Amino acid sequence: MLHILGAGSLGLLWAARLQQAGVACRLIVRNESQLRQWNSNGNRLVFDDGTAKHTLSLATETPDTPAPIENLIVATKAHAALAAVESLRPRLQPGAALFLLQNGLGSQQAIADAFTDCRIYCVSVTDGAWRPSEHELIWAGRGHNTVGPLRPGTAPPDWLNDLPSSISTTWQHDILPVLWRKLAVNCAINPFTLIYDCRNGEVPERAGEWLGQCIAELQQVLASQGVDANLAEQVHAVILATANNSSSTRQDLHARRRTELSYFLGYACRAAQSAGLSTPALDRLLLSAQDALRRHQLPAD
C-alpha cells in the first residue's frame, strides 16, 4: 500500500496514475473539512491525461486515520513538507520509506534530520499538471521521475520496479547532482516568470542579458557543489519545451499561495555566499522576486 500526502496537482497526478495501474494507494488530505469535501463529491477526480478524460474514485483519508504507513509519497510544497510528515509520525512504521517530491533543496535535509529511522528518497519530477478546479486534473506535460536515496547506500524499494509505464522512473544512486541541476533551472526561469508575470517562453525576451548573467553565476554555484552541467543549454531547452506553460511559481502567484522561492533561488544564493562566490545578478533576482511577492501581499521567504 502506498500513501500519498498532499492533494495538490502532483499528489493527484500520482494518485490518478497509480489507481489506473491497479496499484493500491490512499490519498491523505489536509483535514476533516477537506475530507468531507472529497466525500461529498463521491471522491471523484476527472483526470485528463492528454488523450482522454477519465473519472476516477480516489481512496481518501486524513492524517488522523490510524492505519500504519510503510511507504509515503510526500507531494506537499517544500515549506509545508516537514510539518506535514510530522503529523504522520505516530503512523510511520520503523524503516518506513519516504519519497520526497519537493522542489529545490533544504526541506529534504530537514525531514531526514527529523526522521532518522526512515529511509529517505528524493524524487526529481519533470511532469507538469494543473487543476482547473478542485476535482479536475490536467496532465499538461509528460515528464520523468528520477529517484535516489538522500543517504548514500540506501537500497531502492522493491515496489519501484513495479511502477506502471505511465510513471516513467529511473533509479539514481547519487541524487543530489540531479536535484542541484533542477534547482538551477528553476532559478533561471521561475523568478523571471514571477517578476514579469509571463509564461516560460517569454523569459529570454523579458529578461534579456540578465538571464545570461544569472545562468553564468548559477554555473559557478553548481561547480562549487561538484556538479557538472551545461546549464545554458539545459535552461534554453526547458524554456523551448515549456514555452506555453506557467511555472509553478507563477501558478502560486495567481492562486495567491506561498511560493517555494527560498528553497531554490534563496538556497542557491545562500550556497554561493557559503562558497565565497560573488553573485550580483542572482542577488538582484532574489530581491526583485521578493519585492514582487510583497507587492502581491504574499510571503517573500
Side-chain angles (χ1 to χ4, degrees), residues 28-283:
I28 303 174
V29 300
R30 188 178 300 111
N31 50 38
E32 287 290 339
S33 175
Q34 196 174 33
L35 181 65
R36 286 194 298 270
Q37 186 182 51
W38 275 93
N39 291 164
S40 68
N41 189 51
N43 286 347
R44 286 193 302 274
L45 175 72
V46 178
F47 176 44
D48 184 343
D49 66 5
T51 59
K53 288 187 178 182
H54 311 269
T55 300
L56 309 175
S57 180
L58 304 180
T60 56
E61 61 183 52
T62 67
D64 295 332
T65 302
I69 295 174
E70 297 279 358
N71 295 285
L72 179 66
I73 297 170
V74 183
T76 66
K77 291 289 189 179
H79 54 77
L82 178 58
V85 178
E86 280 285 3
S87 72
L88 298 175
R89 186 182 284 274
R91 299 177 58 184
L92 293 173
Q93 299 303 289
L98 309 183
F99 298 85
L100 310 181
L101 275 57
Q102 285 62 48
N103 278 330
L105 284 165
S107 63
Q108 301 93 333
Q109 291 86 344
I111 290 172
D113 289 344
F115 293 86
T116 55
D117 60 341
C118 290
R119 291 172 290 155
I120 308 295
Y121 301 92
C122 298
V123 187
S124 175
V125 181
T126 60
D127 286 292
W130 64 285
R131 292 182 299 164
S133 68
E134 192 71 20
H135 300 283
E136 292 180 272
L137 181 71
I138 295 176
W139 193 0
R142 297 196 175 218
H144 187 77
N145 302 282
T146 305
V147 184
L150 188 60
R151 301 185 185 108
T154 305
D158 294 338
W159 61 267
L160 198 62
N161 291 328
D162 298 328
L163 285 176
S165 59
S166 64
I167 307 180
S168 175
T169 306
T170 299
W171 173 258
Q172 174 59 257
H173 71 276
D174 189 7
I175 193 65
L176 277 177
V178 177
L179 299 179
W180 265 109
R181 292 185 194 104
K182 183 182 178 186
L183 177 149
V185 171
N186 282 340
C187 287
I189 299 173
N190 293 28
F192 287 116
T193 68
L194 171 67
I195 294 164
Y196 298 113
D197 192 11
C198 68
R199 295 184 183 274
N200 294 359
E202 300 173 63
V203 167
E205 181 180 355
R206 295 292 192 97
E209 293 182 0
W210 190 6
L211 173 59
Q213 293 164 356
C214 288
I215 291 173
E217 292 179 3
L218 286 164
Q219 189 79 61
Q220 294 179 42
V221 175
L222 290 179
S224 75
Q225 302 300 315
V227 178
D228 295 326
N230 185 339
L231 187 59
E233 180 179 311
Q234 191 172 354
V235 167
H236 286 286
V238 170
I239 289 173
L240 182 62
T242 64
N244 291 322
N245 293 2
S246 284
S247 72
S248 60
T249 308
R250 186 178 183 232
Q251 290 181 45
D252 288 339
L253 173 69
H254 287 188
R256 301 200 56 76
R257 294 188 296 254
R258 181 178 174 182
T259 71
E260 296 173 302
L261 185 70
S262 65
Y263 290 90
F264 55 94
L265 183 55
Y267 194 93
C269 288
R270 292 191 295 274
Q273 186 176 27
S274 296
L277 299 175
S278 175
T279 54
L282 287 177
D283 295 341

